[in-house]
Amino acid sequence: MAGKVLVTGGGGYIGSHCVLELIEAGYQPVVVDNFSNAVRGEGDVPESIRRIEKLLDTSIEFHELDLLDQAGLEKLFKKHSFSAVMHFAGLKAVGESVEQPLRYYRVNLTASMNLLEVMQAHRVHNLVFSSSATVYGDPQHLPIDEQHPVGGCTNPYGKTKYFIEEMIVDQCKAKKDWNAVLLRYFNPIGAHCSGQIGEDPQGIPNNLLPYVAQVAIGRRKHLSVFGNDYDTLDGTGVRDYIHVVDLAKGHIAALKKLKDNGGCQVYNLGTGTGYSVLQMVKAMEKASGREIAYKIAPRRGGDIASCYADPRLAEKELGWKAQFDLERMCEDLWRWQSTNPTGFSNGTAS
């Protein structure tokens, strides 16, 4: 067994896929989540975690905990000896962050400070942080490599990720026994090939693909395409979409990298290819065999025209490369959505 890993926000979309990959790689995850973006299943455990237990025929330790509760976090660290922490927990919607900046700063920054302080107090010095390409702001060049300037964020969500990165960088500088890997994701989509776990946004989806899938399944009438006057091939926003399983495997590679004692290191996790909103709609129409109605709407605050990664550093230093193509991402997403038309609230998946 390769050690106990604390996974914060482990009931959510990316966190749950990482929990599954951790178990398959021989680690023992301990999951905490406050259910802000996870569906409560039987026994007050996230439905995603319950399904992973069934899928892998295992049991996963889970604690309902909000990282704003530092005393609760302290108690957890007294109970366990963690070899590392994977930190996913946080609010994550760009548009919502523009409308509610103070909430985003309070929740994301305070939670991360609490976590870092408790880690320091209990001598847990290995961290993989779930960051975002939003830290790059409006791209000065494409593709975006890790040397691209950061901090010119176009929304409060991106700023919280940038500030948390800075906290971790400073902590690693101050404490030479700390090691951290900051993973800047591009746009995770898709679902586990079993169709048992996937993205199940609570309320109206903030991200493109879950919304498209819900239109295809009949839960929503049409997609609003925010802006068709960007400087892109068809006027709609271009993003680098990465399969969530590829992303999760990138976290396992990052965890192994911590053993090198390299201080604080940063990697992009993306495919290096950008697709427009309308290209994604067409790809999902193909995967689902259904027409997806859309309407053009005004641009959203905080959005940018194009954003895609240069992922070569992760390949060189982590030995990681995205394996799944766009067709596979959309097929896996559709399998999840069609098997679970109302998401995790379907209850036990067959």
Side-chain angles (χ1 to χ4, degrees):
M1 187 59 72
K4 264 187 200 177
V5 178
L6 175 63
V7 184
T8 76
Y13 173 44
I14 299 166
S16 61
H17 282 82
C18 284
V19 167
L20 192 153
E21 293 297 331
L22 279 167
I23 294 166
E24 296 212 306
Y27 294 90
Q28 189 183 345
V30 174
V31 177
V32 300
D33 203 289
N34 69 352
F35 290 99
S36 70
N37 204 32
V39 173
R40 199 180 288 273
E42 286 171 28
D44 281 339
V45 170
E47 180 64 18
S48 55
I49 298 301
R50 204 188 61 72
R51 290 190 184 191
I52 294 167
E53 288 181 324
K54 201 173 168 189
L55 199 60
L56 300 183
D57 191 23
T58 189
S59 62
I60 298 165
E61 184 171 340
F62 172 75
H63 298 271
E64 182 172 352
L65 181 67
D66 192 314
L67 298 189
L68 298 180
D69 173 11
Q70 192 163 1
L73 203 50
E74 191 74 45
K75 203 170 156 188
L76 186 71
F77 273 75
K78 278 180 183 157
K79 183 182 173 188
H80 292 285
S81 179
F82 295 117
S83 60
V85 175
M86 279 190 181
H87 180 31
F88 298 97
L91 302 174
K92 63 181 187 70
V94 168
E96 186 182 64
S97 79
V98 174
E99 292 160 12
Q100 304 174 29
L102 294 181
R103 178 170 168 246
Y104 268 68
Y105 291 127
R106 183 177 61 83
V107 171
N108 290 3
L109 301 185
T110 311
S112 299
M113 278 191 275
N114 286 350
L115 178 64
L116 293 171
E117 285 176 356
V118 173
M119 284 175 68
Q120 175 64 20
H122 291 268
R123 297 181 181 171
V124 179
H125 299 156
N126 292 311
L127 176 66
V128 176
F129 175 55
S130 157
S131 192
S132 164
T134 54
V135 301
Y136 293 120
D138 222 334
Q140 295 178 18
H141 59 254
L142 289 168
I144 297 173
D145 61 10
E146 291 81 356
Q147 301 308 310
H148 186 289
V150 291
C153 311
T154 58
N155 56 73
Y157 162 71
K159 286 178 192 170
T160 67
K161 289 293 188 186
Y162 170 63
F163 294 154
I164 296 162
E165 281 196 5
E166 290 292 285
M167 286 183 214
I168 296 166
V169 167
D170 289 342
Q171 179 65 2
C172 290
K173 276 183 192 161
K175 308 289 179 187
K176 300 301 177 198
D177 52 353
W178 271 67
N179 297 292
V181 175
L182 313 178
L183 296 176
R184 293 175 181 158
Y185 317 159
F186 282 68
N187 293 68
I189 62 167
H192 189 261
C193 61
S194 65
Q196 296 290 293
I197 59 170
E199 187 168 11
D200 183 20
Q202 303 309 291
I204 298 168
N206 289 298
N207 295 333
L208 173 66
L209 268 292
Y211 206 108
V212 170
Q214 289 186 12
V215 173
I217 204 75
R219 276 173 74 181
R220 313 235 167 238
K221 280 188 177 172
H222 66 267
L223 170 72
S224 292
V225 176
F226 297 109
N228 67 343
D229 57 350
Y230 287 106
D231 185 15
T232 61
L233 74 167
D234 59 20
T236 64
V238 168
R239 297 291 181 272
D240 185 335
Y241 296 93
I242 175 173
H243 197 300
V244 67
V245 173
D246 276 332
L247 191 69
K249 289 180 188 297
H251 287 73
I252 306 302
L255 203 51
K256 290 174 179 168
K257 183 71 177 171
L258 292 171
K259 291 179 190 150
D260 293 355
N261 296 318
C264 189
Q265 297 176 80
V266 181
Y267 300 99
N268 286 337
L269 294 186
T271 64
T273 305
Y275 292 100
S276 76
V277 172
L278 294 184
Q279 285 178 315
M280 297 308 288
V281 168
K282 285 194 178 72
M284 274 304 291
E285 284 183 331
K286 187 181 174 196
S288 65
R290 300 184 180 192
E291 193 178 327
I292 293 162
Y294 67 86
K295 289 182 180 174
I296 304 299
R299 292 183 180 193
R300 277 190 310 194
D303 274 350
I304 56 178
S306 292
C307 184
Y308 50 93
D310 179 342
R312 288 177 298 179
L313 189 65
E315 185 177 1
K316 183 182 165 196
E317 295 190 5
L318 298 180
W320 171 90
K321 189 179 182 185
Q323 300 299 317
F324 297 119
D325 63 10
L326 179 60
E327 193 174 347
R328 173 65 187 271
M329 293 184 224
C330 292
E331 282 171 4
D332 286 346
L333 170 57
W334 181 243
R335 185 182 300 109
W336 152 254
Q337 188 67 80
S338 55
T339 310
N340 305 272
T342 56
F344 284 121
S345 58
N346 276 8
T348 308
S350 54

Tab-separated table of all heavy atoms in Angstrom, residues 33 36 59 82 91 146 184 197 211 213 241 245 255 257 267 269-270 272-273 309 313 331 341 343 348:
chain	number	residue	atom	x	y	z
A	33	ASP	N	-15.624	15.978	2.161
A	33	ASP	CA	-16.442	16.791	1.267
A	33	ASP	C	-17.550	17.421	2.105
A	33	ASP	O	-17.980	16.843	3.106
A	33	ASP	CB	-17.048	15.916	0.159
A	33	ASP	CG	-17.412	16.722	-1.081
A	33	ASP	OD1	-18.386	17.511	-1.032
A	33	ASP	OD2	-16.730	16.568	-2.100
A	36	SER	N	-21.233	20.543	-1.083
A	36	SER	CA	-21.668	21.750	-1.801
A	36	SER	C	-21.830	21.448	-3.287
A	36	SER	O	-22.612	22.088	-3.974
A	36	SER	CB	-20.691	22.911	-1.587
A	36	SER	OG	-19.480	22.660	-2.255
A	59	SER	N	-14.019	-0.477	0.325
A	59	SER	CA	-14.663	0.535	1.174
A	59	SER	C	-13.726	1.743	1.251
A	59	SER	O	-12.505	1.595	1.250
A	59	SER	CB	-14.972	-0.011	2.573
A	59	SER	OG	-13.783	-0.372	3.206
A	82	PHE	N	-1.174	11.061	7.206
A	82	PHE	CA	-1.276	11.182	5.754
A	82	PHE	C	0.104	11.315	5.119
A	82	PHE	O	0.951	12.057	5.617
A	82	PHE	CB	-2.113	12.417	5.365
A	82	PHE	CG	-3.552	12.340	5.798
A	82	PHE	CD1	-4.071	13.259	6.709
A	82	PHE	CD2	-4.390	11.354	5.298
A	82	PHE	CE1	-5.399	13.198	7.115
A	82	PHE	CE2	-5.726	11.281	5.692
A	82	PHE	CZ	-6.227	12.205	6.598
A	91	LEU	N	-15.145	26.469	-4.401
A	91	LEU	CA	-16.179	26.915	-5.336
A	91	LEU	C	-15.526	27.122	-6.700
A	91	LEU	O	-14.383	27.562	-6.775
A	91	LEU	CB	-16.798	28.228	-4.850
A	91	LEU	CG	-17.437	28.183	-3.456
A	91	LEU	CD1	-17.874	29.578	-3.024
A	91	LEU	CD2	-18.629	27.229	-3.435
A	146	GLU	N	3.924	26.744	-19.227
A	146	GLU	CA	3.985	27.091	-17.799
A	146	GLU	C	4.745	28.385	-17.532
A	146	GLU	O	4.658	28.937	-16.426
A	146	GLU	CB	4.618	25.932	-17.004
A	146	GLU	CG	3.761	24.685	-16.908
A	146	GLU	CD	3.816	23.771	-18.128
A	146	GLU	OE1	4.481	24.117	-19.140
A	146	GLU	OE2	3.189	22.697	-18.074
A	184	ARG	N	-2.378	22.861	-13.395
A	184	ARG	CA	-3.272	23.836	-14.038
A	184	ARG	C	-4.084	23.124	-15.110
A	184	ARG	O	-3.582	22.807	-16.185
A	184	ARG	CB	-2.440	24.979	-14.632
A	184	ARG	CG	-1.776	25.818	-13.552
A	184	ARG	CD	-0.851	26.876	-14.140
A	184	ARG	NE	-0.216	27.647	-13.065
A	184	ARG	CZ	0.923	28.325	-13.199
A	184	ARG	NH1	1.555	28.343	-14.371
A	184	ARG	NH2	1.428	28.992	-12.173
A	197	ILE	N	-19.883	6.985	-12.704
A	197	ILE	CA	-19.604	8.307	-12.116
A	197	ILE	C	-19.337	9.292	-13.250
A	197	ILE	O	-18.849	8.917	-14.313
A	197	ILE	CB	-18.418	8.301	-11.106
A	197	ILE	CG1	-17.114	7.821	-11.765
A	197	ILE	CG2	-18.763	7.476	-9.875
A	197	ILE	CD1	-15.874	8.032	-10.890
A	211	TYR	N	-24.068	20.912	-19.835
A	211	TYR	CA	-25.271	21.590	-20.339
A	211	TYR	C	-25.695	20.967	-21.673
A	211	TYR	O	-26.867	20.646	-21.887
A	211	TYR	CB	-25.026	23.093	-20.504
A	211	TYR	CG	-26.298	23.911	-20.408
A	211	TYR	CD1	-26.555	24.712	-19.302
A	211	TYR	CD2	-27.258	23.864	-21.418
A	211	TYR	CE1	-27.723	25.447	-19.201
A	211	TYR	CE2	-28.431	24.588	-21.326
A	211	TYR	CZ	-28.659	25.381	-20.216
A	211	TYR	OH	-29.828	26.092	-20.121
A	213	ALA	N	-25.025	17.991	-22.756
A	213	ALA	CA	-25.531	16.633	-22.505
A	213	ALA	C	-26.959	16.665	-21.970
A	213	ALA	O	-27.785	15.823	-22.322
A	213	ALA	CB	-24.603	15.908	-21.534
A	241	TYR	N	-10.199	20.812	-24.242
A	241	TYR	CA	-10.999	19.862	-23.449
A	241	TYR	C	-10.194	18.597	-23.204
A	241	TYR	O	-9.597	18.039	-24.126
A	241	TYR	CB	-12.310	19.532	-24.174
A	241	TYR	CG	-13.206	20.743	-24.310
A	241	TYR	CD1	-13.168	21.535	-25.455
A	241	TYR	CD2	-14.054	21.124	-23.272
A	241	TYR	CE1	-13.970	22.673	-25.564
A	241	TYR	CE2	-14.858	22.255	-23.372
A	241	TYR	CZ	-14.805	23.025	-24.527
A	241	TYR	OH	-15.595	24.147	-24.620
A	245	VAL	N	-10.606	11.282	-16.940
A	245	VAL	CA	-9.781	10.130	-16.526
A	245	VAL	C	-8.307	10.409	-16.821
A	245	VAL	O	-7.430	10.092	-16.015
A	245	VAL	CB	-10.278	8.819	-17.174
A	245	VAL	CG1	-9.315	7.664	-16.883
A	245	VAL	CG2	-11.685	8.473	-16.664
A	255	LEU	N	1.586	12.876	-7.860
A	255	LEU	CA	1.822	12.312	-6.517
A	255	LEU	C	3.176	11.596	-6.477
A	255	LEU	O	3.943	11.747	-5.523
A	255	LEU	CB	0.683	11.328	-6.207
A	255	LEU	CG	0.351	11.003	-4.766
A	255	LEU	CD1	0.147	12.240	-3.927
A	255	LEU	CD2	-0.892	10.117	-4.707
A	257	LYS	N	5.666	12.263	-8.403
A	257	LYS	CA	6.696	13.294	-8.598
A	257	LYS	C	7.116	13.927	-7.267
A	257	LYS	O	8.262	14.372	-7.121
A	257	LYS	CB	6.150	14.372	-9.551
A	257	LYS	CG	7.129	15.474	-9.910
A	257	LYS	CD	8.234	14.969	-10.820
A	257	LYS	CE	9.185	16.071	-11.239
A	257	LYS	NZ	10.361	15.545	-11.935
A	267	TYR	N	2.563	22.226	-13.541
A	267	TYR	CA	2.346	21.568	-14.828
A	267	TYR	C	0.960	21.876	-15.371
A	267	TYR	O	-0.019	21.907	-14.623
A	267	TYR	CB	2.484	20.041	-14.690
A	267	TYR	CG	3.841	19.626	-14.193
A	267	TYR	CD1	4.046	19.312	-12.853
A	267	TYR	CD2	4.928	19.579	-15.069
A	267	TYR	CE1	5.304	18.962	-12.391
A	267	TYR	CE2	6.192	19.231	-14.600
A	267	TYR	CZ	6.370	18.923	-13.265
A	267	TYR	OH	7.619	18.585	-12.806
A	269	LEU	N	-2.182	20.540	-17.455
A	269	LEU	CA	-2.812	19.294	-17.873
A	269	LEU	C	-3.858	19.638	-18.930
A	269	LEU	O	-4.919	20.182	-18.630
A	269	LEU	CB	-3.470	18.561	-16.691
A	269	LEU	CG	-2.531	18.025	-15.601
A	269	LEU	CD1	-3.308	17.203	-14.585
A	269	LEU	CD2	-1.397	17.175	-16.190
A	270	GLY	N	-3.530	19.368	-20.163
A	270	GLY	CA	-4.422	19.607	-21.293
A	270	GLY	C	-3.999	18.704	-22.435
A	270	GLY	O	-3.088	17.896	-22.287
A	272	GLY	N	-3.521	20.103	-25.682
A	272	GLY	CA	-2.794	20.912	-26.648
A	272	GLY	C	-3.626	21.266	-27.866
A	272	GLY	O	-3.149	21.960	-28.766
A	273	THR	N	-4.876	20.786	-27.906
A	273	THR	CA	-5.765	21.075	-29.041
A	273	THR	C	-6.982	21.853	-28.558
A	273	THR	O	-7.596	21.479	-27.555
A	273	THR	CB	-6.245	19.764	-29.705
A	273	THR	OG1	-5.101	18.998	-30.074
A	273	THR	CG2	-7.096	20.049	-30.930
A	309	ALA	N	-3.553	24.470	-24.163
A	309	ALA	CA	-2.311	24.214	-23.436
A	309	ALA	C	-1.157	23.823	-24.343
A	309	ALA	O	-1.352	23.250	-25.418
A	309	ALA	CB	-2.537	23.077	-22.438
A	313	LEU	N	5.598	19.817	-20.985
A	313	LEU	CA	6.389	19.694	-19.755
A	313	LEU	C	5.902	18.524	-18.900
A	313	LEU	O	6.706	17.776	-18.334
A	313	LEU	CB	6.338	21.002	-18.943
A	313	LEU	CG	7.300	21.077	-17.752
A	313	LEU	CD1	8.761	21.054	-18.205
A	313	LEU	CD2	7.036	22.324	-16.913
A	331	GLU	N	-18.261	10.272	-26.206
A	331	GLU	CA	-18.917	8.961	-26.035
A	331	GLU	C	-19.061	8.622	-24.553
A	331	GLU	O	-20.119	8.165	-24.109
A	331	GLU	CB	-18.097	7.863	-26.719
A	331	GLU	CG	-18.272	7.817	-28.224
A	331	GLU	CD	-17.274	6.872	-28.889
A	331	GLU	OE1	-16.493	6.205	-28.170
A	331	GLU	OE2	-17.277	6.815	-30.137
A	341	PRO	N	-29.977	9.724	-16.514
A	341	PRO	CA	-30.604	10.915	-17.105
A	341	PRO	C	-30.759	12.074	-16.128
A	341	PRO	O	-30.684	13.232	-16.522
A	341	PRO	CB	-31.971	10.409	-17.567
A	341	PRO	CG	-31.862	8.927	-17.617
A	341	PRO	CD	-30.810	8.532	-16.657
A	343	GLY	N	-28.726	12.342	-13.417
A	343	GLY	CA	-27.501	12.364	-12.626
A	343	GLY	C	-27.534	11.357	-11.491
A	343	GLY	O	-28.187	10.310	-11.580
A	348	THR	N	-29.211	4.060	-7.198
A	348	THR	CA	-28.270	3.027	-7.570
A	348	THR	C	-28.314	2.802	-9.068
A	348	THR	O	-29.371	2.551	-9.630
A	348	THR	CB	-28.608	1.707	-6.832
A	348	THR	OG1	-28.717	2.003	-5.451
A	348	THR	CG2	-27.544	0.664	-7.057
